[in-house]
Amino acid sequence: MPVVSSCYSAPRHPIVLCHGLFGFDKMGPDTIPYLQIHYWKGIQKALTKLGAKVIVASVPKTGSIKRRAEALHRMLTNTVEGMHVNFLAHSMGGLDCRYLISHIHDKNYEVKSLTTLSTPHRGSPVMDWFRDSIGVGHLQHAEEEAMRKLGEAARLSKAAALDLQEALRAFQTAEESNNSFDTTTVPPPFSYSSQYTSTGSFAGPPPPPPSQSSGNPIISPLLNRLIPYLDTPAYANLTTDYCQNVFNPNTPDDPRVSYYSYGAAVKQIPVWAPLGIPWEIIKAKEGENDGLVSTHSARWGHYVGTEDADHWDLNNRYRLKIGYEQKPFDAIDFYMNIATLMYKEGH
């Protein structure tokens, strides 16, 4: 366990750690702690030793932003009633928190700050590639319209509560529609951006599938049947088109909440590494990145800085790294500095 220096300070209010896509709080048996795997490896312990109250959230790993945000809200409702909290979110977790802050109003707690770590606020070209090349991540039109209604309600006064309820009902209908989606056919890859007009409005649903599958006549039908089981709501919510044209315009910041963000980037990731090809895809589209999110997409609110780290370094995930052009990243020191920043900012 690293020594926590006295030069750090704990924030005044609890920290809520919010994980990203495919994340978790911990895995493994409680009876044998040494066999457990923690998403925030060593981070919760270090923050607690510093004197911070830490809450580790657990939400649906691949759920939609809405579903994950609602799960986070239910957990906090039962654990921090009457308290102020600081959200500290990695990757997709930052989008969950933004949704909760802007669209969930019956909170019995108060959010003081949101700090996002390499959150794809403007989406990720990697998810665009999976959508266009593999066929996963197609947003249902009903969900998009429901999100726009939520945005309209969020921009109105409390007198618009009925509009908010209507939007939530529309979201429920959209989710039920997604659950009953016919898994025997899947739309072909398409350019989502082409579905928008020059004004940014939706031009219509994606084109219907062609009468004959392209490619190998044996493999393609099998792949088409498999894709629906691989697809998840989160994939569509992480595309650049959804984040920039649907989520961001309809999820206004709360002026009562302080927003901070960090990005991460490495000079090169070997192509044989798990993040190697994604790094190349993003590099070609948006420049410097951490293997899943560019620094351009990570910026939101007050941008504190860019860390010399890849996406998985930020939650202290250990793995063998060969061929990286990167110095060792001290995740514990990184989080100690974030906690100290919260303290200095009055949170």
Side-chain angles (χ1 to χ4, degrees), residues 4 37 84 91 170 194 216 262:
V4 176
I37 300 174
H84 294 172
S91 196
S194 67
N216 188 297
Y262 291 81

Side-chain angles (χ1 to χ4, degrees), residues 73 100-108 150 153-154 164 256:
H73 171 62
L100 183 152
I101 293 168
S102 300
H103 300 305
I104 298 180
H105 302 285
D106 58 337
K107 296 187 280 287
N108 61 4
L150 274 179
L164 179 60
R256 298 168 296 181

Side-chain angles (χ1 to χ4, degrees), residues 24-266:
F24 51 89
D25 49 358
K26 62 182 178 181
M27 295 190 302
D30 290 332
T31 54
I32 312 178
Y34 290 105
L35 295 181
Q36 291 181 336
I37 300 174
H38 292 259
Y39 184 89
W40 308 93
K41 180 187 173 186
I43 295 167
Q44 178 186 6
K45 289 183 179 180
L47 289 170
T48 301
K49 185 174 181 180
L50 182 64
K53 177 177 175 58
V54 183
I55 299 163
V56 180
S58 179
V59 300
K61 295 182 179 181
T62 59
S64 65
I65 294 172
K66 172 182 179 289
R67 184 184 174 204
R68 288 162 56 101
E70 290 174 339
L72 176 60
H73 171 62
R74 286 193 296 271
M75 187 206 75
L76 295 177
T77 297
N78 297 325
T79 55
V80 295
E81 180 177 0
M83 300 173 67
H84 294 172
V85 296
N86 296 301
F87 284 145
L88 181 50
H90 178 233
S91 196
M92 185 181 180
L95 301 179
D96 306 336
C97 293
R98 285 178 53 201
Y99 182 101
L100 183 152
I101 293 168
S102 300
H103 300 305
I104 298 180
H105 302 285
D106 58 337
K107 296 187 280 287
N108 61 4
Y109 53 90
E110 182 177 342
V111 180
K112 296 297 290 182
S113 71
L114 166 60
T115 303
T116 59
L117 312 177
S118 204
T119 288
H121 292 288
R122 294 163 187 82
S124 174
V126 174
M127 298 314 303
D128 296 349
W129 183 89
F130 275 107
R131 179 200 59 211
D132 299 337
S133 302
I134 306 299
V136 297
H138 291 284
L139 182 69
Q140 296 295 308
H141 181 62
E143 181 181 347
E144 180 192 352
E145 289 304 310
M147 191 68 221
R148 294 191 188 282
K149 288 183 179 180
L150 274 179
E152 293 170 4
R155 287 187 287 269
L156 297 176
S157 64
K158 293 182 179 180
L162 292 178
D163 289 343
L164 179 60
Q165 293 301 318
E166 179 185 352
L168 292 173
R169 284 194 296 270
F171 243 131
Q172 181 67 30
T173 301
E175 288 183 341
E176 292 174 356
S177 175
N178 288 342
N179 291 337
S180 61
F181 182 68
D182 182 5
T183 59
T184 61
T185 60
V186 177
F190 72 104
S191 177
Y192 200 101
S193 59
S194 67
Q195 304 303 310
Y196 286 88
T197 66
S198 58
T199 60
S201 61
F202 192 75
S211 57
Q212 295 183 346
S213 299
S214 60
N216 188 297
I218 297 177
I219 296 178
S220 293
L222 294 176
L223 185 60
N224 284 346
R225 290 178 178 272
L226 179 63
I227 285 175
Y229 297 98
L230 300 177
D231 204 355
T232 72
Y235 295 161
N237 288 176
L238 293 173
T239 61
T240 58
D241 302 293
Y242 178 79
C243 288
Q244 296 178 31
N245 297 315
V246 180
F247 185 77
N248 288 345
N250 296 292
T251 309
D253 288 348
D254 187 332
R256 298 168 296 181
V257 177
S258 299
Y259 293 80
Y260 308 93
S261 61
Y262 291 81
V266 289

